[in-house]
Amino acid sequence: MASRKRKSIGTRPTTQYDTRIFHSFEAWNRYMDNVLGRHILPERKVEICHTELEKFKAELERCNIHKRLTNLVDNNIDLALLKEFYANLYSSEDLSPKQVRVRGHLVKIDADNLNTFLETPVILAEGETLPAYSRYYRLPTDYKEIEVALCILGQGFVLNSEGHPGKILRKDLMTLAQVWSILSYSNLAPTLHTSDLIVDRARLIFGLVSQMDMNVGAFIFGQITSIAQSNSSRLRFPALITALCKAREVNSDSLVFERLRSVINLAYIRKNCWNPDDLTVSIRGAKWARTRPAEPPSTSTAHIPARISAAPSVPASADFQHLEAMLQNIYQGQIILL
């Protein structure tokens, strides 16, 4: 009787991995080789009263951004779930998956599901198929329009080496534009480079200041999938992803959690966003915190040594030293409008 040959079995990975956590050997490799060692970029919570910065507060509520995106009930960030999420979302074929399995539970991150979770409906004008910001982003950039909306009087874009508008200096931004910038750096289009506004970021802030309706879910979905494919950027939206996993009842055995960054409130805005040259906004206590009256000259002594000499000037922000890095790295694959 002729002997039967066994069918050859494909090569299996010699290294064992937890199949309850990773849906494939590729996801486990991605986790070990890349995701595990990456840092995170936490979001911020917003706590603004109705009597403080009415325009900012009103726009947050008009767009429903205040409900979840800037007001996550649980401020904890589960690092284990976050990194498993990004490892399983990775696609070697550079695709943009609209769902990911985390510890056996399917977490959907497409634009519609994100908008439902965040309670940010897509608002379309009559006869239009895209929200206002998506239509605006497809138009040529009107630099003068942006300067009028975002900059204090007489200031605007700084030209680059080729003579084209390159960036708006932070010190030239109006207070409201600075507040929206801070929020965008953590909750909408997270980045570490927070010194000045390059053109793409300036267009985003212009859209927010101008009260343009936006597809928030599509905006965030594009960034999450881009981060999953990236090899070096920090892991963004950690609190949102933790909340998405918990909403799908993903079990967690984590004992240590990360926290959100400093809350955006009036004290934070007074210290970090208020521009004394912006006459359109008045913040109580801000001028006293930023400006001191000059001391009258002393009459008790005819001569006082170098103590009264003017102090040498100091650059306004240490972030200026990282300007070149910002121009090269900010917005790498982050703005994807669907």
Side-chain angles (χ1 to χ4, degrees):
M1 182 176 179
S3 60
R4 294 182 179 179
K5 294 183 179 180
R6 289 186 177 183
K7 293 183 179 180
S8 61
I9 300 176
T11 304
R12 294 180 179 177
T14 57
T15 304
Q16 296 297 320
Y17 66 96
D18 194 338
T19 56
R20 297 170 301 174
I21 295 178
F22 303 105
H23 67 75
S24 67
F25 183 66
E26 179 187 49
W28 182 84
N29 266 336
R30 177 68 174 177
Y31 177 83
M32 295 299 297
D33 296 342
N34 182 274
V35 176
L36 182 60
R38 285 163 71 173
H39 297 290
I40 67 173
L41 193 57
E43 297 97 320
R44 297 182 188 273
K45 194 173 182 179
V46 176
E47 295 178 354
I48 300 291
C49 300
H50 283 281
T51 57
E52 305 164 350
L53 292 176
E54 288 87 353
K55 288 184 178 180
F56 179 65
K57 177 72 172 178
E59 183 61 11
L60 285 178
E61 295 181 351
R62 190 189 71 84
C63 300
N64 278 0
I65 295 177
H66 71 295
K67 287 192 173 181
R68 286 205 171 180
L69 189 60
T70 62
N71 187 33
L72 294 167
V73 177
D74 188 352
N75 294 336
N76 292 329
I77 295 169
D78 192 321
L79 281 181
L81 291 183
L82 174 71
K83 294 187 176 184
E84 291 167 19
F85 171 93
Y86 273 114
N88 285 307
L89 185 63
Y90 172 75
S91 169
S92 59
E93 299 177 357
D94 199 20
L95 302 176
S96 297
K98 296 183 178 181
Q99 58 188 21
V100 58
R101 192 167 293 279
V102 182
R103 300 193 179 187
H105 296 267
L106 197 61
V107 180
K108 296 183 179 181
I109 58 167
D110 60 279
D112 290 340
N113 277 281
L114 282 176
N115 280 324
T116 299
F117 179 79
L118 295 172
E119 301 181 50
T120 51
V122 179
I123 301 175
L124 302 177
E126 186 176 356
E128 298 290 348
T129 58
L130 294 172
Y133 181 75
S134 297
R135 300 197 309 272
Y136 161 74
Y137 197 78
R138 286 159 171 76
L139 298 174
T141 304
D142 187 334
Y143 298 102
K144 290 297 181 183
E145 183 182 44
I146 295 175
E147 290 173 348
V148 171
L150 304 187
C151 302
I152 58 176
L153 188 62
Q155 302 300 328
F157 280 96
V158 176
L159 303 182
N160 58 25
S161 58
E162 299 178 351
H164 303 301
K167 64 181 182 294
I168 299 176
L169 300 180
R170 182 178 177 180
K171 67 181 182 65
D172 294 336
L173 291 171
M174 290 195 290
T175 301
L176 186 60
Q178 291 205 39
V179 176
W180 277 115
S181 298
I182 292 294
L183 182 60
S184 77
Y185 294 145
S186 56
N187 293 46
L188 282 171
T191 180
L192 283 173
H193 307 288
T194 60
S195 178
D196 307 317
L197 299 187
I198 64 168
V199 175
D200 280 338
R201 179 74 60 166
R203 296 189 74 179
L204 171 62
I205 304 307
F206 174 77
L208 293 168
V209 170
S210 302
Q211 301 179 349
M212 293 184 187
D213 293 312
M214 175 186 296
N215 189 335
V216 176
F219 192 76
I220 293 178
F221 164 72
Q223 295 175 81
I224 289 178
T225 54
S226 176
I227 293 162
Q229 297 302 111
S230 170
N231 291 323
S232 59
S233 63
R234 293 198 177 205
L235 302 178
R236 273 75 163 171
F237 306 103
L240 172 59
I241 290 171
T242 298
L244 285 169
C245 291
K246 289 185 176 181
R248 298 298 298 170
E249 299 182 351
V250 178
N251 295 322
S252 172
D253 51 7
S254 299
L255 299 177
V256 180
F257 297 88
E258 294 288 336
R259 304 289 293 177
L260 299 181
R261 285 194 281 177
S262 302
V263 64
I264 299 177
N265 53 23
L266 187 63
Y268 181 92
I269 293 172
R270 181 188 297 119
K271 180 180 179 182
N272 299 284
C273 305
W274 181 72
N275 189 335
D277 295 325
D278 179 8
L279 303 181
T280 64
V281 175
S282 177
I283 299 180
R284 292 168 297 161
K287 293 186 177 180
W288 293 108
R290 301 289 286 269
T291 306
R292 287 189 177 184
E295 296 182 1
S298 174
T299 57
S300 59
T301 306
H303 173 70
I304 299 179
R307 292 172 56 187
I308 64 169
S309 60
S313 60
V314 180
S317 173
D319 288 337
F320 187 77
Q321 299 174 0
H322 304 289
L323 180 58
E324 292 298 328
M326 178 198 70
L327 295 176
Q328 294 175 6
N329 297 323
I330 193 172
Y331 266 86
Q332 289 184 351
Q334 288 188 354
I335 293 188
I336 303 177
L337 296 174
L338 302 182

